[in-house]
Structure formats: C-alpha cells, structure tokens
Amino acid sequence: MLADTFKDKVIIITGASSGIGLASARLFGSMGAKVVMAARSLEKLESEAPSVSADAEKVLCVKTDVTREEDCRNLIEKTVERFGRIDILVNNAGISMRAMFKDLDLKVIRALMDVNFWGTVQCTKYALPYLLASKGSVVGVISIAGYSALPARTGYSSSKYAVRGFLDTLRIEHLKDGLNVLVFAPGYTASNVRNAALTADGTPQGKTPLEEGKLMSAEECALHLAKALQKRRSQKILTFLGKATVWAHRFFPNLTDRLTYGYIAREADSPFK
C-alpha cells in the first residue's frame, strides 16, 4: 500500500505553507510520515500544522528562506536534531514571473534563480549526507517550462532548466549509492504561484491569467508525487498537455515554438499584446 511506503519516514518539504507543498505535507502526514514544513512564514506553517497531523510530535515547522544558505543549513540541522534522520527532501519552494525579457529588470531573474535554483542546491547540499545514509530520495519540483521554454517567463524557465540539469547530474554522481533523484514536473496546477508571479519591475502581478478552477488540483499533484516516490522514479511529467509538449519539443522544436507562442498569445492580458 502507498501509505506503508511513507509511514514514519522523515520528509522535508520546502514551500510548505501553500499549494503543492501544503497538499504534499497533508498527504504524507495522513500516511503517518514525520513531516518537516519549511517556508518563510512560520506563522502560516504553524497554523497549517494541525491539518498535516493530529500528532504534534510528527510535525516540525522551520522558518526558512531558501535563498539564505544559513537558513537551509538550519533546516537540515533542526530536522536531524528532532528526528535523527532524513528520508526524503522535496525541493518545492519556488516563484514565477511574467514579463517580456526586453522589459525586464534583471533583478527579477536573479530573484528567481535565488529561490528556484539556489534554494534547491543549498537544501540538497546540506541534506545529502543524511539522504545517502538512508538511501533516500531528493525531489526537485520543476515545471514543463523546465523542458520546453515559456515566453515571458525567461527567469522561470531558466531556473527550472537549471534545477533539472543539477538533479540529473546529481543522479549520475550517486548512481551506485542508492540515492533516488526525482525530477517532478507538474503541468498547470491550481495554486497561488501565478498571483504572486513577479512583473517586469519585480512587483507581484496580483492576479492569474488562467482559470484556476480548471487546472489540476494541488492535492492530485501531491498524489502523483507520492506514487512517483514510491516507485523511486527518476522523472515524472504530469498532464496530457505537459507530456505532449515535452515530446513535441524533443522531436519538433520549431513547431513547438510556434504553438507555444500562440498559446501564450491567447492568455488574458498577454505580454505579446
């Protein structure tokens, strides 16, 4: 059974205060895992902790800004201090953007790389000795944009491509060590990420261009993540559109570029207009 895989496992989830991160924390908590929730807002984490597990001893909330190396180190130290081991690290913390590169303040790309790429690298660096000891799993939650680029998301796509390259390399380095490295690529998933996406000057756009109610739920996405971890998969791409996009990008890149352009051009308040 799926629940048996995660019972009493120590699972760290960054970006755990909302969206896929919170849904994953709740799912793993319901299966009896010991869940470490990390995010910048300790208040939000602590308010959500009871929904993760009724047993307060099985949930640890750690205030963590993944752009700060010392916070990432502290997250790992607090986890080991409390639970003595680490079985799974889910690098989920991330931010997005929406603006044409020609209009973009470069601080926006730096911000996305700091959170999406360096956050993954730093947390993984300090968790790695414990994951190797447990022959555990490290996950990078990327995006279809980490396989096939999205226009008006230069910083987002770049950071997700970078995470994929980092994790693919890490997998090969530890091919003989029992470490599972999963690149997890959801398609469009209902969350707050588009509301918080940065605009050209670095301010949040405050609204989403998509109909969030028609997207995959965070809970369904979390279930896919759990199943991929149970099978110790190295890659998981979600949704029919996501799989089709990755396939088409590989075999028909020029066609995919044109189709992607048309898709983004139809968005509400498209940057192309």
Side-chain angles (χ1 to χ4, degrees), residues 63-94:
K63 178 180 173 63
T64 308
D65 179 346
V66 297
T67 70
R68 296 169 54 87
E69 185 178 347
E70 56 268 38
D71 278 20
C72 298
R73 182 192 295 113
N74 179 66
L75 170 62
I76 303 309
E77 290 176 349
K78 292 293 186 184
T79 299
V80 175
E81 180 181 303
R82 173 75 167 269
F83 296 119
R85 60 184 288 129
I86 301 171
D87 295 291
I88 298 171
L89 168 64
V90 180
N91 290 294
N92 170 72

mmCIF file of all heavy atoms in Angstrom, residues 63-94:
data_model
loop_
_atom_site.group_PDB
_atom_site.id
_atom_site.type_symbol
_atom_site.label_atom_id
_atom_site.label_comp_id
_atom_site.label_asym_id
_atom_site.label_seq_id
_atom_site.Cartn_x
_atom_site.Cartn_y
_atom_site.Cartn_z
ATOM 1 N N LYS A 63 11.086 28.002 10.079
ATOM 2 C CA LYS A 63 11.113 29.231 9.271
ATOM 3 C C LYS A 63 12.341 29.171 8.368
ATOM 4 O O LYS A 63 13.471 29.075 8.846
ATOM 5 C CB LYS A 63 11.178 30.452 10.177
ATOM 6 C CG LYS A 63 11.252 31.786 9.446
ATOM 7 C CD LYS A 63 11.312 32.938 10.430
ATOM 8 C CE LYS A 63 11.551 34.267 9.748
ATOM 9 N NZ LYS A 63 10.468 34.643 8.822
ATOM 10 N N THR A 64 12.120 29.214 7.061
ATOM 11 C CA THR A 64 13.219 29.014 6.110
ATOM 12 C C THR A 64 13.032 29.895 4.883
ATOM 13 O O THR A 64 12.026 29.797 4.189
ATOM 14 C CB THR A 64 13.295 27.544 5.641
ATOM 15 O OG1 THR A 64 13.325 26.670 6.772
ATOM 16 C CG2 THR A 64 14.532 27.316 4.783
ATOM 17 N N ASP A 65 14.022 30.729 4.644
ATOM 18 C CA ASP A 65 14.129 31.452 3.376
ATOM 19 C C ASP A 65 15.200 30.716 2.579
ATOM 20 O O ASP A 65 16.384 30.798 2.901
ATOM 21 C CB ASP A 65 14.532 32.906 3.623
ATOM 22 C CG ASP A 65 14.682 33.719 2.341
ATOM 23 O OD1 ASP A 65 14.740 33.119 1.252
ATOM 24 O OD2 ASP A 65 14.772 34.957 2.432
ATOM 25 N N VAL A 66 14.801 29.971 1.549
ATOM 26 C CA VAL A 66 15.743 29.105 0.844
ATOM 27 C C VAL A 66 16.813 29.882 0.075
ATOM 28 O O VAL A 66 17.779 29.281 -0.400
ATOM 29 C CB VAL A 66 15.025 28.119 -0.107
ATOM 30 C CG1 VAL A 66 14.129 27.168 0.680
ATOM 31 C CG2 VAL A 66 14.257 28.849 -1.193
ATOM 32 N N THR A 67 16.655 31.186 -0.057
ATOM 33 C CA THR A 67 17.715 31.982 -0.706
ATOM 34 C C THR A 67 18.888 32.200 0.233
ATOM 35 O O THR A 67 19.963 32.625 -0.218
ATOM 36 C CB THR A 67 17.188 33.347 -1.179
ATOM 37 O OG1 THR A 67 16.896 34.182 -0.053
ATOM 38 C CG2 THR A 67 15.945 33.193 -2.028
ATOM 39 N N ARG A 68 18.694 31.921 1.516
ATOM 40 C CA ARG A 68 19.743 32.117 2.528
ATOM 41 C C ARG A 68 20.375 30.764 2.865
ATOM 42 O O ARG A 68 19.707 29.871 3.382
ATOM 43 C CB ARG A 68 19.155 32.759 3.785
ATOM 44 C CG ARG A 68 18.604 34.165 3.564
ATOM 45 C CD ARG A 68 17.808 34.641 4.774
ATOM 46 N NE ARG A 68 18.585 34.553 5.997
ATOM 47 C CZ ARG A 68 19.411 35.511 6.449
ATOM 48 N NH1 ARG A 68 19.574 36.622 5.735
ATOM 49 N NH2 ARG A 68 20.073 35.357 7.564
ATOM 50 N N GLU A 69 21.657 30.633 2.579
ATOM 51 C CA GLU A 69 22.342 29.364 2.833
ATOM 52 C C GLU A 69 22.252 28.956 4.289
ATOM 53 O O GLU A 69 22.055 27.769 4.607
ATOM 54 C CB GLU A 69 23.809 29.462 2.397
ATOM 55 C CG GLU A 69 24.561 28.151 2.518
ATOM 56 C CD GLU A 69 26.007 28.251 2.032
ATOM 57 O OE1 GLU A 69 26.353 29.272 1.379
ATOM 58 O OE2 GLU A 69 26.784 27.312 2.305
ATOM 59 N N GLU A 70 22.367 29.929 5.194
ATOM 60 C CA GLU A 70 22.324 29.595 6.614
ATOM 61 C C GLU A 70 20.947 29.065 7.024
ATOM 62 O O GLU A 70 20.849 28.213 7.920
ATOM 63 C CB GLU A 70 22.700 30.804 7.479
ATOM 64 C CG GLU A 70 21.864 32.042 7.249
ATOM 65 C CD GLU A 70 22.449 32.988 6.213
ATOM 66 O OE1 GLU A 70 23.012 32.522 5.200
ATOM 67 O OE2 GLU A 70 22.337 34.215 6.433
ATOM 68 N N ASP A 71 19.884 29.536 6.377
ATOM 69 C CA ASP A 71 18.549 29.015 6.658
ATOM 70 C C ASP A 71 18.411 27.567 6.180
ATOM 71 O O ASP A 71 17.777 26.744 6.848
ATOM 72 C CB ASP A 71 17.484 29.872 5.967
ATOM 73 C CG ASP A 71 17.128 31.132 6.736
ATOM 74 O OD1 ASP A 71 17.940 31.548 7.588
ATOM 75 O OD2 ASP A 71 16.063 31.713 6.475
ATOM 76 N N CYS A 72 18.984 27.276 5.031
ATOM 77 C CA CYS A 72 18.939 25.908 4.507
ATOM 78 C C CYS A 72 19.706 24.955 5.416
ATOM 79 O O CYS A 72 19.243 23.839 5.701
ATOM 80 C CB CYS A 72 19.498 25.868 3.085
ATOM 81 S SG CYS A 72 18.554 26.847 1.897
ATOM 82 N N ARG A 73 20.859 25.394 5.879
ATOM 83 C CA ARG A 73 21.638 24.576 6.816
ATOM 84 C C ARG A 73 20.857 24.366 8.111
ATOM 85 O O ARG A 73 20.791 23.238 8.642
ATOM 86 C CB ARG A 73 22.971 25.254 7.116
ATOM 87 C CG ARG A 73 23.863 24.430 8.068
ATOM 88 C CD ARG A 73 25.046 25.207 8.597
ATOM 89 N NE ARG A 73 25.981 25.572 7.545
ATOM 90 C CZ ARG A 73 26.216 26.825 7.142
ATOM 91 N NH1 ARG A 73 25.547 27.831 7.699
ATOM 92 N NH2 ARG A 73 27.102 27.071 6.205
ATOM 93 N N ASN A 74 20.237 25.418 8.595
ATOM 94 C CA ASN A 74 19.465 25.329 9.836
ATOM 95 C C ASN A 74 18.290 24.369 9.687
ATOM 96 O O ASN A 74 17.976 23.609 10.611
ATOM 97 C CB ASN A 74 18.950 26.720 10.210
ATOM 98 C CG ASN A 74 18.106 26.710 11.473
ATOM 99 O OD1 ASN A 74 18.581 26.427 12.573
ATOM 100 N ND2 ASN A 74 16.816 26.997 11.318
ATOM 101 N N LEU A 75 17.642 24.391 8.533
ATOM 102 C CA LEU A 75 16.515 23.482 8.275
ATOM 103 C C LEU A 75 16.946 22.034 8.434
ATOM 104 O O LEU A 75 16.260 21.228 9.087
ATOM 105 C CB LEU A 75 15.970 23.727 6.864
ATOM 106 C CG LEU A 75 14.955 22.713 6.324
ATOM 107 C CD1 LEU A 75 13.690 22.698 7.178
ATOM 108 C CD2 LEU A 75 14.623 23.027 4.864
ATOM 109 N N ILE A 76 18.079 21.708 7.860
ATOM 110 C CA ILE A 76 18.570 20.324 7.940
ATOM 111 C C ILE A 76 18.982 19.979 9.366
ATOM 112 O O ILE A 76 18.654 18.895 9.886
ATOM 113 C CB ILE A 76 19.750 20.121 6.964
ATOM 114 C CG1 ILE A 76 19.332 20.470 5.528
ATOM 115 C CG2 ILE A 76 20.272 18.702 7.070
ATOM 116 C CD1 ILE A 76 18.058 19.815 5.045
ATOM 117 N N GLU A 77 19.668 20.901 10.031
ATOM 118 C CA GLU A 77 20.124 20.655 11.400
ATOM 119 C C GLU A 77 18.946 20.460 12.348
ATOM 120 O O GLU A 77 18.971 19.568 13.201
ATOM 121 C CB GLU A 77 21.009 21.805 11.872
ATOM 122 C CG GLU A 77 22.363 21.851 11.177
ATOM 123 C CD GLU A 77 23.192 23.062 11.579
ATOM 124 O OE1 GLU A 77 22.636 23.975 12.246
ATOM 125 O OE2 GLU A 77 24.391 23.106 11.227
ATOM 126 N N LYS A 78 17.918 21.293 12.203
ATOM 127 C CA LYS A 78 16.738 21.172 13.071
ATOM 128 C C LYS A 78 16.012 19.849 12.829
ATOM 129 O O LYS A 78 15.501 19.216 13.775
ATOM 130 C CB LYS A 78 15.777 22.329 12.815
ATOM 131 C CG LYS A 78 16.293 23.690 13.243
ATOM 132 C CD LYS A 78 16.443 23.799 14.745
ATOM 133 C CE LYS A 78 16.827 25.211 15.163
ATOM 134 N NZ LYS A 78 17.079 25.303 16.638
ATOM 135 N N THR A 79 15.972 19.424 11.573
ATOM 136 C CA THR A 79 15.316 18.151 11.241
ATOM 137 C C THR A 79 16.037 16.978 11.900
ATOM 138 O O THR A 79 15.414 16.114 12.532
ATOM 139 C CB THR A 79 15.299 17.947 9.709
ATOM 140 O OG1 THR A 79 14.555 18.997 9.105
ATOM 141 C CG2 THR A 79 14.675 16.607 9.357
ATOM 142 N N VAL A 80 17.352 16.943 11.764
ATOM 143 C CA VAL A 80 18.141 15.837 12.319
ATOM 144 C C VAL A 80 18.120 15.879 13.845
ATOM 145 O O VAL A 80 18.065 14.832 14.514
ATOM 146 C CB VAL A 80 19.580 15.884 11.770
ATOM 147 C CG1 VAL A 80 20.441 14.816 12.434
ATOM 148 C CG2 VAL A 80 19.571 15.699 10.256
ATOM 149 N N GLU A 81 18.151 17.076 14.389
ATOM 150 C CA GLU A 81 18.087 17.230 15.842
ATOM 151 C C GLU A 81 16.787 16.650 16.387
ATOM 152 O O GLU A 81 16.770 16.010 17.443
ATOM 153 C CB GLU A 81 18.190 18.713 16.186
ATOM 154 C CG GLU A 81 18.148 19.041 17.674
ATOM 155 C CD GLU A 81 18.223 20.542 17.914
ATOM 156 O OE1 GLU A 81 19.186 21.172 17.453
ATOM 157 O OE2 GLU A 81 17.286 21.081 18.540
ATOM 158 N N ARG A 82 15.690 16.867 15.661
ATOM 159 C CA ARG A 82 14.368 16.410 16.120
ATOM 160 C C ARG A 82 14.120 14.932 15.801
ATOM 161 O O ARG A 82 13.650 14.169 16.652
ATOM 162 C CB ARG A 82 13.297 17.273 15.454
ATOM 163 C CG ARG A 82 11.859 16.838 15.678
ATOM 164 C CD ARG A 82 11.351 17.167 17.079
ATOM 165 N NE ARG A 82 9.902 16.998 17.114
ATOM 166 C CZ ARG A 82 9.010 17.951 16.859
ATOM 167 N NH1 ARG A 82 9.428 19.174 16.547
ATOM 168 N NH2 ARG A 82 7.730 17.717 16.934
ATOM 169 N N PHE A 83 14.455 14.505 14.574
ATOM 170 C CA PHE A 83 14.060 13.170 14.123
ATOM 171 C C PHE A 83 15.227 12.204 13.902
ATOM 172 O O PHE A 83 15.004 11.016 13.704
ATOM 173 C CB PHE A 83 13.244 13.268 12.837
ATOM 174 C CG PHE A 83 11.932 13.987 13.003
ATOM 175 C CD1 PHE A 83 11.659 15.147 12.289
ATOM 176 C CD2 PHE A 83 10.976 13.508 13.888
ATOM 177 C CE1 PHE A 83 10.445 15.810 12.430
ATOM 178 C CE2 PHE A 83 9.751 14.162 14.044
ATOM 179 C CZ PHE A 83 9.490 15.320 13.318
ATOM 180 N N GLY A 84 16.449 12.712 13.858
ATOM 181 C CA GLY A 84 17.615 11.839 13.780
ATOM 182 C C GLY A 84 17.984 11.335 12.394
ATOM 183 O O GLY A 84 19.002 10.645 12.238
ATOM 184 N N ARG A 85 17.192 11.659 11.382
ATOM 185 C CA ARG A 85 17.455 11.172 10.034
ATOM 186 C C ARG A 85 16.665 11.998 9.022
ATOM 187 O O ARG A 85 15.807 12.797 9.395
ATOM 188 C CB ARG A 85 17.075 9.701 9.889
ATOM 189 C CG ARG A 85 15.601 9.430 10.159
ATOM 190 C CD ARG A 85 15.239 7.959 10.102
ATOM 191 N NE ARG A 85 15.244 7.443 8.743
ATOM 192 C CZ ARG A 85 15.889 6.339 8.368
ATOM 193 N NH1 ARG A 85 16.588 5.648 9.255
ATOM 194 N NH2 ARG A 85 15.818 5.916 7.117
ATOM 195 N N ILE A 86 16.940 11.783 7.744
ATOM 196 C CA ILE A 86 16.154 12.371 6.662
ATOM 197 C C ILE A 86 15.968 11.286 5.605
ATOM 198 O O ILE A 86 16.948 10.664 5.175
ATOM 199 C CB ILE A 86 16.842 13.598 6.022
ATOM 200 C CG1 ILE A 86 17.092 14.689 7.067
ATOM 201 C CG2 ILE A 86 15.984 14.159 4.877
ATOM 202 C CD1 ILE A 86 17.958 15.830 6.551
ATOM 203 N N ASP A 87 14.733 11.071 5.195
ATOM 204 C CA ASP A 87 14.445 10.072 4.167
ATOM 205 C C ASP A 87 14.116 10.690 2.813
ATOM 206 O O ASP A 87 14.459 10.125 1.778
ATOM 207 C CB ASP A 87 13.284 9.178 4.617
ATOM 208 C CG ASP A 87 13.641 8.360 5.846
ATOM 209 O OD1 ASP A 87 14.486 7.447 5.717
ATOM 210 O OD2 ASP A 87 13.097 8.639 6.926
ATOM 211 N N ILE A 88 13.440 11.830 2.837
ATOM 212 C CA ILE A 88 13.022 12.471 1.586
ATOM 213 C C ILE A 88 13.137 13.978 1.734
ATOM 214 O O ILE A 88 12.706 14.546 2.753
ATOM 215 C CB ILE A 88 11.566 12.102 1.218
ATOM 216 C CG1 ILE A 88 11.419 10.593 1.000
ATOM 217 C CG2 ILE A 88 11.109 12.859 -0.032
ATOM 218 C CD1 ILE A 88 9.974 10.125 0.848
ATOM 219 N N LEU A 89 13.710 14.620 0.733
ATOM 220 C CA LEU A 89 13.736 16.080 0.652
ATOM 221 C C LEU A 89 12.967 16.491 -0.592
ATOM 222 O O LEU A 89 13.340 16.115 -1.707
ATOM 223 C CB LEU A 89 15.179 16.603 0.573
ATOM 224 C CG LEU A 89 15.331 18.090 0.203
ATOM 225 C CD1 LEU A 89 14.721 18.989 1.274
ATOM 226 C CD2 LEU A 89 16.799 18.441 -0.021
ATOM 227 N N VAL A 90 11.902 17.254 -0.406
ATOM 228 C CA VAL A 90 11.114 17.760 -1.534
ATOM 229 C C VAL A 90 11.411 19.247 -1.693
ATOM 230 O O VAL A 90 10.944 20.073 -0.904
ATOM 231 C CB VAL A 90 9.600 17.539 -1.323
ATOM 232 C CG1 VAL A 90 8.818 18.085 -2.524
ATOM 233 C CG2 VAL A 90 9.298 16.060 -1.119
ATOM 234 N N ASN A 91 12.203 19.571 -2.708
ATOM 235 C CA ASN A 91 12.522 20.971 -3.008
ATOM 236 C C ASN A 91 11.379 21.554 -3.834
ATOM 237 O O ASN A 91 11.348 21.436 -5.054
ATOM 238 C CB ASN A 91 13.832 21.048 -3.793
ATOM 239 C CG ASN A 91 15.033 20.693 -2.951
ATOM 240 O OD1 ASN A 91 15.388 21.396 -2.009
ATOM 241 N ND2 ASN A 91 15.674 19.573 -3.280
ATOM 242 N N ASN A 92 10.438 22.183 -3.136
ATOM 243 C CA ASN A 92 9.226 22.678 -3.780
ATOM 244 C C ASN A 92 9.135 24.200 -3.814
ATOM 245 O O ASN A 92 8.411 24.760 -4.640
ATOM 246 C CB ASN A 92 7.998 22.104 -3.047
ATOM 247 C CG ASN A 92 6.712 22.750 -3.475
ATOM 248 O OD1 ASN A 92 6.220 22.535 -4.578
ATOM 249 N ND2 ASN A 92 6.149 23.587 -2.601
ATOM 250 N N ALA A 93 9.866 24.879 -2.936
ATOM 251 C CA ALA A 93 9.775 26.341 -2.873
ATOM 252 C C ALA A 93 10.097 26.950 -4.234
ATOM 253 O O ALA A 93 11.068 26.564 -4.881
ATOM 254 C CB ALA A 93 10.743 26.882 -1.823
ATOM 255 N N GLY A 94 9.264 27.870 -4.673
ATOM 256 C CA GLY A 94 9.508 28.465 -5.978
ATOM 257 C C GLY A 94 8.653 29.697 -6.219
ATOM 258 O O GLY A 94 7.594 29.871 -5.610
#
